[in-house]
Amino acid sequence: MKPVFHAKLLNDYFGDPCLFVRILYERRAVLFDLGNIHSLKPSDLYKITDVFVTHTHMDHFIGFDTLLRAILRREVPLNIYGPPSVLPCVQGKLKGYTWNLIEDYPAKINVFAYNGRYLTHSIFSAKNRFRKQTLSRAESDGLLLRNPMFTVRAVKLDHSMPCLAYSLEEKFHINIDKALLIRKGLEVGAWLNDFKRILREHPGDTQQIIRICDKDFTVAELSDIARITRGQKISFATDIALKPNNFARLITLIKDSDFFFCEAYFLEKDQARAIERSHLTAKAAGSIAKKAGVKKLELMHFSPKYRECPDKVIEEAMGEFCG
Ligand SMILES: [Zn+2]
Ligand SMILES: [Zn+2]
């Protein structure tokens, strides 16, 4: 199976937790948390269409300006999701500059603020000098984004402030049986992308037409070359207080993820400090991942106090996860 999502953490264990996820065949990417993103090339920054911010502490939001600069002349809007604090923080950042010569720029920033019950959509347009316009407020169960290929869900957790955790889920995965395709006298080509797009956008409509080398085929004629399997699931959670309520909500969200990216800020021996700072311990991260049945636990966001001994943090989390 060739995965559709290619996820990579942008920084080391002690850097800001930012997860860049490239979406294959889509020429786009999504980003989880917006801390230090300087390692991304301008061409990668340009691909980012959606950013999912857990909360607006500096180490999770300082990259906003870098991203804004990269997409200022882009037609495709930038969508930013986050807890309620994301709206005044985007507005505050935009107010930090003078915008008198950008009215002919196409840039648009949609901000979706989720408080655990309502989703508020506001927009900032360059042509309007990035003045805030609030468009809608609607009840939401946490499904923040849905398109033909994937969904993104969030839950509100507590970090002495509202903090969102996210799950990115491919609706289903399409594997092409290339051997059968060749036996049918067809060639691998760009038409496969159209075929996959039709399967995703018009599920069940077998009469849709695909053109292959000047010949038309219906989806029904080609359906045996496509094997549909479960899609990929990637979850991201950081800066979470050690509270049973947080654990229960998070476990439900991340259930059966292929990859779970999670903070491991403190060691269990420093639990008192973890409680004070509303962070998880490595042991708690391992336990949550295990209870949720995730396949792979990826650790991030360690306290600088463990700079000399990151292995201890990894051991503690993995001991709990695998034990
Ligand atoms: Zn924080
Ligand atoms: Zn943090």
Side-chain angles (χ1 to χ4, degrees):
M1 166 171 142
K2 194 171 181 186
V4 164
F5 302 137
H6 288 243
K8 72 165 180 182
L9 284 170
L10 298 184
N11 303 302
D12 67 13
Y13 293 128
F14 300 97
D16 299 347
C18 300
L19 181 69
F20 179 77
V21 184
R22 200 162 63 82
I23 300 164
L24 218 64
Y25 313 118
E26 289 252 311
R27 288 202 203 105
R28 67 188 278 208
V30 301
L31 186 69
F32 292 89
D33 264 351
L34 191 45
N36 181 352
I37 54 171
H38 281 113
S39 65
L40 284 176
K41 294 183 290 200
S43 58
D44 284 335
L45 288 169
Y46 198 80
K47 287 190 188 100
I48 297 170
T49 53
D50 299 85
V51 182
F52 301 91
V53 176
T54 58
H55 64 302
T56 44
H57 281 157
M58 201 181 202
D59 49 336
H60 302 261
F61 198 61
I62 200 169
F64 177 85
D65 291 18
T66 307
L67 181 57
L68 174 64
R69 194 169 200 185
I71 59 101
L72 213 44
R73 290 169 186 270
R74 192 176 77 182
E75 294 279 347
V76 177
L78 175 68
N79 306 314
I80 299 185
Y81 302 78
S85 62
V86 78
L87 183 56
C89 286
V90 167
Q91 194 171 17
K93 288 268 194 187
L94 290 168
K95 278 188 177 165
Y97 299 98
T98 306
W99 299 109
N100 62 320
L101 295 174
I102 56 150
E103 284 94 339
D104 59 341
Y105 284 22
K108 270 191 193 140
I109 306 168
N110 290 302
V111 178
F112 298 93
Y114 180 55
N115 69 1
R117 182 149 184 218
Y118 288 97
L119 186 66
T120 307
H121 177 196
S122 306
I123 188 163
F124 299 83
S125 308
K127 77 168 185 343
N128 197 20
R129 295 189 184 184
F130 289 129
R131 275 190 286 268
K132 185 183 89 168
Q133 271 179 283
T134 294
L135 300 182
S136 65
R137 183 171 183 265
E139 227 165 321
S140 166
D141 64 353
L143 179 61
L144 300 191
L145 173 62
R146 183 212 298 264
N147 64 33
M149 187 185 256
F150 62 84
T151 56
V152 179
R153 280 195 168 275
V155 282
K156 187 184 89 169
L157 304 174
D158 177 36
H159 169 52
S160 298
M161 68 183 287
C163 181
L164 301 185
Y166 296 100
S167 245
L168 163 70
E169 197 165 2
E170 186 188 9
K171 284 186 177 166
F172 51 83
H173 191 79
I174 306 167
N175 301 282
I176 298 294
D177 184 339
K178 300 230 168 88
L180 179 60
L181 177 153
I182 289 161
R183 282 206 299 281
K184 279 166 101 68
L186 300 168
E187 276 178 31
V188 174
W191 64 270
L192 279 169
N193 290 340
D194 294 335
F195 179 45
K196 287 181 181 173
R197 187 180 47 74
I198 289 172
L199 291 178
R200 287 201 170 94
E201 291 178 8
H202 307 277
D205 185 351
T206 55
Q207 292 313 304
Q208 290 274 333
I209 301 292
I210 298 120
R211 177 149 274 240
I212 310 170
C213 300
D214 297 330
K215 208 173 159 217
D216 287 342
F217 292 82
T218 63
V219 166
E221 288 172 289
L222 298 168
S223 60
D224 54 345
I225 64 163
R227 306 252 185 280
I228 307 293
T229 54
R230 176 184 169 268
Q232 251 183 304
K233 182 172 178 179
I234 294 176
S235 301
F236 183 92
T238 188
D239 296 50
I240 302 158
L242 282 169
K243 291 183 175 171
N245 205 9
N246 274 345
F247 297 174
R249 286 165 171 228
L250 183 55
I251 288 168
T252 305
L253 176 80
I254 65 170
K255 195 114 196 77
D256 299 327
S257 294
D258 297 287
F259 293 93
F260 174 41
F261 292 84
C262 187
E263 71 155 329
Y265 206 83
F266 288 105
L267 284 170
E268 191 65 18
K269 73 175 175 64
D270 297 316
Q271 198 200 72
R273 187 78 179 130
I275 291 168
E276 210 177 284
R277 305 295 297 170
S278 296
H279 273 287
L280 289 182
T281 61
K283 188 176 174 189
S287 162
I288 290 165
K290 186 176 182 178
K291 286 181 183 148
V294 310
K295 292 194 182 72
K296 196 150 193 273
L297 170 63
E298 298 276 359
L299 300 170
M300 57 187 191
H301 211 15
F302 296 3
S303 162
K305 70 194 286 182
Y306 310 121
R307 201 167 272 284
E308 301 308 318
C309 56
D311 291 352
K312 280 194 183 165
V313 183
I314 299 164
E315 254 170 52
E316 183 175 296
M318 290 307 173
E320 191 69 19
F321 178 51
C322 306

